[in-house]
Amino acid sequence: MRGSAAGGSGGRRAFVFTLDAMFAVVIIAVAIVALASIQRASILPSGKYIYLSAISRDAATVLEKTRVSEARSIPRIDAYVLNGTIRPEDADKRLIDIVGSLYAGGNITVASDILNNLFSAFLPSRVYYQILINNQTLLLNNVSHGTEVVTRSIVSGYLSGMPTSGYISRAWLGNARGNVTEIIEIATLGSGFSSAYWPTAYGNLTFVKYVNLSSVDNLTAILALSFHEEGGWAYVWVNNLSDPIPVGNECYHPVNACYDKITLNASHFVVGQNAVKVTLGTPTNYHTHTHPGMLLTLNYNDNRQTNFVQGNPVVERTNLTEVYGRPAAWEISPFNIPEGAKISDVWVYVKADGVNKRGEIWVNNNRVWYNYTSGSGSCAVCIATLNGAGILKNITRWVWQNATGHSSGQTNTVAVYLDIAGDDDTGGNGVDLPVDGAAGYTNISGNSYVQVNYTLANPIVKFNYVPYTQVLEIDRLDGQGDALTKNANFTIANTTLVSAYYHDVQRFSYKNAVAAWHPPEAPPSWQGYPNYRWSVNQIFKSPNSRNIPGTIYIPLSRLQVGGINSLRTRDGFDGGSSSNYIMTNSTIEYTILVPASVPYGDAFANTSAADADARARLQAALAPYNITGTPASDIANIAGISWLWGPSELKVIIGT
């Protein structure tokens, strides 16, 4: 391109010889980035070299030192200010800031036009000149005849619209308070026999879940009940056993299986330990038991730590649900070890009362302890151990792990059967069968537990972050009703993911298989006999019949943040029936870390405005998560800081 020429050449020559004097009056000196001038003049006569060298240096200096406000006398540059191409707040920026910002943003046309109008105002029309940034030509005038002087500079500058001085602020929560969501698993459990085997008084089932609360502020407590009713009944108590809450008639369905969500009286809960007690009556001609989906969901406000630090090594103890059955008691409880964690050891402790005939402990598909006495005699070993101090057993070798002793991430289960025959891995129906001679109440103590000891490979340590739990109902994720196979697609915010679980709810159940994946992975397909599994990315499969926990751990490697995730679950296989529907009440739970701080923002003319901006940005960032607290802030003064574009090479070539 050729730059436009205006005015006589004599005036421009005079301007060159008097430029130093003009700068003393017109241009305000500021800090200049690293400048290196390289002149190429090995064959130029000294007079001509001095002339071109002066023009080259002066052209570069004009571009690097002249402010926008000083260049508004040039009509075209003034027009760019008036139409908003050059913003009013950029008036104190250098022309190189504006040109460099336009160049960095890809607006070469306007950058070239500004240079053309600037240099055509004072450079002699007969000289050849070329302006380049990073060897990209922004301005070219005339044709070079081989006589050139080059001035090079390493430049950087302010991005258009960014401040050059002022006050900036950042903010964070010194202390935090927010919503806490806890989903507490209540084991799948039962008491065994019905009036078909025993007098009508037999078959009643009572279970108790103990819950510790650090706060009851704004508490809501939802108890999900899933059990076989068939003409039976249910009562629920919280702490005050003299004030039962009957389950409404809406629970009773012709299919003989109940699922109901009960809002518990929040005023019955206290800070500290609480007991949620449920009693189920005897169904007609069947045994009293629950189905997957027995969950207690608690939401309340509490103080939150603003630093998230996972300890290492980890010791976690999960107490079993307390069960009172007549004449038997059984339960299946899940526990998990994070995928990839190095397992040290795992223990189960079972304390019971009232056992007189039989006791079994299962871990996944392995019976790890068993004792039984047939005939009229009592099980002396059961009475001496289970009814005594209890049984403590190391079960490390039976949990899901790879060859190096690291957790595979699949959910484990521990099952306890007292005075009742447990299911086995051949698909038996043992929990329906009586044990001759069993009598009275049998109790699995709530002091029974599973304890896992492991070391995390990469424990999470995040400062100024608050955990937040999200619960998604699966029917809103796949838009279909109860079905043998359910699908879900969901997105997790682009932040640190701490944990994730799938909560299964079923009226009737037999075995379950769950897969999880995310793009670009392909969805899994179902493989029938003899495998009965998902083709890829399976995260859980029932180790034996009727072994379906209500809480299934999702390994974090199966999920992505900031993108779509998918989950697929099914029942009704390998001995199951067409009634083994996955219910729409099933949920996905995950916990993420929410940033409890915001970085430095825009520059403001005073400290008050900067501080108010930081606090407002922090409040807006935390509002979707219902997190509040006392903010702290930090204010800094800025001046002469280059923003975003550069460093780049500016090259000014002058020739004849």
Side-chain angles (χ1 to χ4, degrees):
M1 61 178 285
R2 292 180 61 85
S4 61
S9 62
R12 294 192 183 87
R13 284 197 300 270
F15 183 85
V16 171
F17 291 126
T18 61
L19 194 57
D20 291 337
M22 291 179 65
F23 278 165
V25 177
V26 178
I27 299 178
I28 302 172
V30 294
I32 304 175
V33 295
L35 177 64
S37 295
I38 306 173
Q39 285 81 28
R40 186 175 71 238
S42 59
I43 61 173
L44 293 181
S46 59
K48 197 170 191 177
Y49 164 74
I50 293 173
Y51 171 72
L52 294 178
S53 179
I55 295 176
S56 178
R57 289 196 307 269
D58 290 344
T61 304
V62 166
L63 189 58
E64 293 181 36
K65 288 194 173 185
T66 304
R67 306 284 173 179
V68 170
S69 58
E70 298 164 346
R72 291 191 64 177
S73 59
I74 301 174
R76 187 62 173 165
I77 294 178
D78 185 57
Y80 279 127
V81 175
L82 294 176
N83 68 19
T85 301
I86 300 177
R87 302 179 185 181
E89 58 265 34
D90 293 332
D92 198 44
K93 287 189 173 68
R94 304 167 301 160
L95 289 176
I96 187 61
D97 293 324
I98 303 303
V99 171
S101 181
L102 291 167
Y103 162 79
N107 197 342
I108 305 301
T109 301
V110 176
S112 299
D113 193 44
I114 290 174
L115 289 173
N116 182 41
N117 282 273
L118 173 67
F119 288 120
S120 65
F122 71 87
L123 286 180
S125 61
R126 67 175 180 272
V127 302
Y128 158 81
Y129 53 89
Q130 185 179 11
I131 312 298
L132 306 92
I133 294 182
N134 288 340
N135 287 322
Q136 181 172 355
T137 297
L138 301 184
L139 179 63
L140 177 64
N141 184 77
N142 291 325
V143 177
S144 173
H145 297 288
T147 303
E148 300 174 356
V149 170
V150 181
T151 297
R152 291 182 174 91
S153 303
I154 303 300
V155 294
S156 61
Y158 297 101
L159 190 67
S160 178
M162 296 298 292
T164 60
S165 63
Y167 296 91
I168 57 175
S169 182
R170 59 181 177 175
W172 62 93
L173 287 183
N175 57 68
R177 189 169 183 84
N179 178 262
V180 178
T181 299
E182 291 188 58
I183 300 182
I184 299 168
E185 166 88 6
I186 298 174
T188 306
L189 44 82
S191 64
F193 324 109
S194 72
S195 56
Y197 300 113
W198 297 90
T200 328
Y202 284 77
N204 288 357
L205 170 66
T206 295
F207 57 88
V208 183
K209 192 66 179 180
Y210 295 99
V211 180
N212 283 297
L213 288 173
S214 58
S215 170
V216 293
D217 178 25
N218 200 30
L219 172 70
T220 61
I222 307 295
L223 176 64
L225 287 177
S226 182
F227 64 97
H228 187 91
E229 56 90 9
E230 196 179 347
W233 43 266
Y235 281 91
V236 181
W237 294 262
V238 177
N239 290 329
N240 186 354
L241 301 182
S242 64
D243 186 20
I245 306 171
V247 175
N249 290 332
E250 69 274 9
C251 186
Y252 297 90
H253 297 282
V255 295
N256 301 324
C258 164
Y259 179 80
D260 197 19
K261 288 185 176 181
I262 304 166
T263 300
L264 303 180
N265 191 331
S267 65
H268 291 177
F269 288 86
V270 298
V271 174
Q273 188 179 77
N274 298 267
V276 178
K277 177 182 177 181
V278 178
T279 294
L280 303 178
T282 308
T284 304
N285 299 320
Y286 208 52
H287 59 99
T288 310
H289 65 277
T290 65
H291 294 278
M294 301 280 292
L295 300 171
L296 176 62
T297 301
L298 302 171
N299 285 282
Y300 55 92
N301 291 330
D302 199 2
N303 296 328
R304 311 303 307 273
Q305 293 291 330
T306 56
N307 296 326
F308 186 88
V309 179
Q310 285 185 325
N312 221 17
V314 179
V315 178
E316 288 182 347
R317 178 175 292 187
T318 303
N319 284 80
L320 304 188
T321 302
E322 186 160 283
V323 183
Y324 295 87
R326 185 175 184 181
W330 63 270
E331 73 171 274
I332 302 173
S333 290
F335 65 95
N336 72 274
I337 304 171
E339 180 186 30
K342 176 63 177 177
I343 301 172
S344 300
D345 48 53
V346 184
W347 296 84
V348 63
Y349 171 70
V350 178
K351 174 70 177 73
D353 191 29
V355 183
N356 56 70
K357 295 297 294 184
R358 182 188 188 113
E360 297 183 34
I361 302 174
W362 289 69
V363 176
N364 297 320
N365 56 352
N366 300 282
R367 187 165 64 183
V368 301
W369 187 90
Y370 166 70
N371 211 282
Y372 170 65
T373 297
S374 60
S376 60
S378 297
C379 177
V381 174
C382 301
I383 295 172
T385 55
L386 290 168
N387 294 350
I391 293 175
L392 179 65
K393 188 170 185 63
N394 189 307
I395 58 173
T396 307
R397 67 190 179 101
W398 291 294
V399 302
W400 302 120
Q401 57 189 291
N402 60 24
T404 60
H406 291 80
S407 170
S408 66
Q410 179 167 328
T411 298
N412 298 274
T413 60
V414 60
V416 178
Y417 301 98
L418 304 180
D419 281 348
I420 194 168
D423 277 6
D424 59 28
D425 56 352
T426 63
N429 202 21
V431 291
D432 294 344
L433 304 178
V435 175
D436 291 339
Y441 274 101
T442 302
N443 163 237
I444 301 174
S445 170
N447 292 322
S448 304
Y449 63 80
V450 174
Q451 180 172 302
V452 295
N453 303 288
Y454 59 86
T455 301
L456 295 167
N458 297 294
I460 300 173
V461 178
K462 301 284 280 187
F463 298 104
N464 287 323
Y465 281 82
V466 177
Y468 174 80
T469 299
Q470 179 77 48
V471 180
L472 308 171
E473 286 194 353
I474 201 167
D475 68 322
R476 299 182 182 181
L477 302 175
D478 74 349
Q480 67 172 147
D482 298 353
L484 287 176
T485 299
K486 292 286 285 181
N487 301 276
N489 297 303
F490 57 99
T491 301
I492 300 175
N494 191 15
T495 185
T496 302
L497 178 63
V498 175
S499 61
Y501 301 93
Y502 163 65
H503 298 291
D504 183 71
V505 178
Q506 296 181 247
R507 281 201 183 98
F508 298 106
S509 59
Y510 192 71
K511 288 184 177 181
N512 200 343
V514 185
W517 73 99
H518 57 79
E521 298 169 339
S525 59
W526 181 249
Q527 296 180 337
Y529 177 83
N531 298 314
Y532 297 114
R533 59 166 293 122
W534 295 110
S535 57
V536 291
N537 300 323
Q538 181 169 285
I539 62 171
F540 176 81
K541 179 183 173 183
S542 296
N544 40 39
S545 59
R546 304 187 190 278
N547 191 339
I548 301 179
T551 299
I552 295 172
Y553 168 72
I554 305 176
L556 301 190
S557 66
R558 297 287 81 239
L559 301 172
Q560 64 174 343
V561 297
I564 295 177
N565 299 279
S566 299
L567 182 137
R568 185 167 289 173
T569 176
R570 71 161 294 159
D571 198 335
F573 61 90
D574 192 20
S577 74
S578 58
S579 63
N580 297 148
Y581 283 168
I582 312 294
M583 293 180 63
T584 59
N585 305 90
S586 301
T587 57
I588 293 171
E589 169 200 358
Y590 63 83
T591 298
I592 58 175
L593 296 183
V594 176
S597 63
V598 291
Y600 287 114
D602 292 338
F604 293 86
N606 56 69
T607 57
S608 298
D611 184 61
D613 169 73
R615 291 170 184 264
R617 287 186 290 115
L618 179 62
Q619 182 180 15
L622 296 176
Y625 307 102
N626 195 28
I627 297 172
T628 61
T630 304
S633 60
D634 172 85
I635 303 172
N637 176 261
I638 63 167
I641 301 175
S642 295
W643 295 77
L644 295 182
W645 77 266
S648 301
E649 182 190 52
L650 171 67
K651 186 187 298 183
V652 178
I653 303 175
I654 302 294
T656 58

